[in-house]
Amino acid sequence: MSDKKNNKPANSSKSPKARVTKPLRRPSSKATSDGKHDKAGNKTRSGKLGRLGKNKAASDGAYTSVKNRKKVAFNKASGASSRGGVETDKNRFRTIWGLAIFVLVLLLGRAYYLQVANAQFYQAKGDELITSVRTQKSYRGMITDRNQQPLAVSAPLATVSFSPHDYAREYYELKRIIAANPDSPKTQARMQKRLDEMDLNRLAAAANVPVAELQKAVALKDNIDYTDEDAVKAALPSGAGSHYFPLLTKVTPEIAQSVSSLDFVGVYEKNFFQRYYPQPQPNAQLLGFMGQNSSDPEGGYEGRAGIERQYESTLSGEDGQVLVLKDAKQNSLKEIKQIKPEVAGQDLALTIDSRLQYILYKELEEAGRLHEARWATGMVVDVQTGEVLALSTWPSFNSNNLNEMTGENQRNRAVLDVFEPGSVMKPFTVAAALDSGLYSPNSLIDTNPGYIRVKGYTIRDHDNYGVINFSTLLQKSSNVASTKIALSLPPDGISKMQKEFGFGKKTALKFPGEGVGIVATPKEKETSRRATISYGYGLQVTLAQIAQAYSTLAAGGVEHPLTLVKDDDKSSQSRRIMAHDKAMSLVNMLETVTEPGGTATAAAIDGYRVAGKTGTARRINPEGGYYTDQYRNTFAGMVPASNPRLVGVVLVEDPRGLHYAGLTAAPVFHNVMKEALRLYNVPLDKPLKTKE
């Protein structure tokens, strides 16, 4: 279209639809007619700019119509646009998606760590918030005597307590809910019903506790703002007794049920087993006692002495574990499952006869009180089996009340204490003489003039017995004759025989803390020691070792290891120590001790032949030497002597007044063994005395 057709000015008053096609300025004269080359023949940019060239011209001041301006407004942006080009958008796109993928990978990694790699740990953490593991105490095995009479039993007991703190916390919480819901009558009615169920009069009546004490313990305050958390916290009970108010202590589960069945807020019940001893004093040192286990978080108990400790693993069993669901206040709601079943402890049957045990203890107590002794102890053994039928010590304590226990009365002295035995060792001196081949049962020993000098020491008899045989040696308890035998044998002749009979080592009882004793082997030049050990000085033994040795003699020279547990697998088997004929000849010699003229006529039992030996030894003075007015009395014997069935040993420590064993320990043997023969229906082996 020609530029000459319309040459009117742009500010004409005509309609805006009028088209202006002629620019105000002419194009540059440098431009060529085709817009492609200049005068020098160089190619211009006009051919490539196209619309861009036109738009640029317009922006440089060329007048353009409204129509043309609209076309410019809707033209596509190019790389020169201020909003960016394709490359910039592509980089932004990649960055955003890269960040998104990175975050996604982090989330997936975290999810894998929580739900797969470490799932068990976090699952356990979650379970801790809503569950807990409760220990189920196993039933401790019962200890019985040989006749299945209970000596130690576990009685189920319960303790019911009340937590004023938990009660008050629940009370204030219900009050808060009521105050916070004035527009909800149903909620208020429901909370008020729960408050009514928390009436302390109900709890006081069931537990037989004054309601005033409960009200004082909870100390409820009705003048506080229940919606103020700090005010409620300050009002809660604190200090001693705020979490534990005993209602019922160590009662039977049936009695505890009367309170726990109320399902009262803040009431808790703890069940446990209490050890009970039906025959406490006679068996206290033998059975031992229970003590708290410091390593048990549940505060469990374990055997701390005696049989309870020795057979702890057998009696205790294994505790079980139960998974319990808890509420937000850590109260147990219900048992979910049993994690580990409880294993009840095994019952333990002892060889002890509770009837004979009681008789022994009462006789020891009577003798101890009568003679004002420090203590007294004794044992009764079955010769044929080595089973201990009775083992007791006076003074004792009530094992159901450990407040009576002291360091002295809890010792099982027959097994734990070692001492110089005195003349009860003379039968083993005679045994060594017979075993040496240098002597026979009819050999004679000259004890004139009633004493003997050894290394500057004078060893005396009570009288000058002259020339005596072995029976008289034992009957009169001759120290001089025992010394002459010892000096005629090799240096280890006596001590070797003593060790053969079990002295100087623990018995098969394996009792906790059992004494070992000392039996030294004298050297050739130690003539004084060789002499003293022949009559029971210069060595240390336990009463259990004496019982074992005399049982071996009574069994014809065969040692049956002592045992306290019925049908127990013995680690050591029976063995022969001495020839049968020599052992029985020695038993016959010991029979003269209880006959007229012997040192223990008080031990004789009508209708039975009794063999035994007394031992009266001076007590050692800690400051050196021996006391001149303190003695230890021992008697060991067997019945019936014709075919020994029972052995009894008795020790009375430091009796006042009478200090000979034949007057203090022998009567105890008589009284105990007389009842034992009756209980076991042992036939008579001697005519009964006729009454004059």
Side-chain angles (χ1 to χ4, degrees), residues 97-112:
W97 273 103
L99 290 173
I101 294 174
F102 177 73
V103 173
L104 180 61
V105 170
L106 285 179
L107 293 175
L108 291 175
R110 182 63 175 170
Y112 176 82

Side-chain angles (χ1 to χ4, degrees), residues 632-670:
R632 177 180 299 107
N633 296 166
T634 310
F635 181 84
M638 56 198 77
V639 288
S642 59
N643 182 21
R645 170 74 187 278
L646 301 172
V647 162
V649 291
V650 177
L651 188 154
V652 179
E653 184 76 5
D654 189 23
R656 302 283 91 189
L658 301 175
H659 61 266
Y660 288 109
L663 302 176
T664 58
V668 176
F669 173 90
H670 166 87

